[in-house]
Amino acid sequence: MLSKEDQRRFEQITRQLRESDPAFFARLDNRARGRRGRYLLLLTIVLWAALPAMTVLAGRLAGAICAVVLVANAVLMWRFRRRWL
């Protein structure tokens, strides 16, 4: 945890970096976004793998609801795949 003075200084450095080298700052932001997308893709795969067990344990209705949500997630990830990967 940073002190208020350290936090203020960090924000000032970050702001100066963003203004002085926007290409570098954008590249760092894109790397974080890509990492987030990979985790979301991994979570989707794990949930698809767990779908049969969920259907058996929680019932057909819960499995059907989960399947619909996962299909919608897959469609959105495919539609916006450039943002995730």
Side-chain angles (χ1 to χ4, degrees), residues 2 6 16-17 21 24-25 50 54 58 65 67 75-76 84:
L2 296 175
D6 290 339
Q16 287 175 352
L17 177 63
D21 196 355
F24 175 74
F25 202 80
M54 180 181 285
I65 291 170
V75 168
L76 287 173
W84 301 113

Side-chain angles (χ1 to χ4, degrees), residues 13-41:
I13 292 170
T14 306
R15 186 173 43 253
Q16 287 175 352
L17 177 63
R18 186 181 302 126
E19 292 169 358
S20 67
D21 196 355
F24 175 74
F25 202 80
R27 202 168 51 238
L28 287 178
D29 188 43
N30 287 340
R31 289 179 70 190
R33 186 180 302 142
R35 195 172 325 124
R36 203 174 23 232
R38 285 187 210 105
Y39 288 139
L40 183 61
L41 182 62

Side-chain angles (χ1 to χ4, degrees), residues 47-83:
L47 289 175
W48 272 109
L51 182 63
M54 180 181 285
T55 303
V56 170
L57 296 175
R60 290 184 188 181
L61 181 61
I65 291 170
C66 184
V68 168
V69 169
L70 284 170
V71 166
N73 181 18
V75 168
L76 287 173
M77 285 188 69
W78 180 258
R79 171 79 170 92
F80 299 109
R81 65 187 172 275
R82 295 284 180 220
R83 293 184 188 174

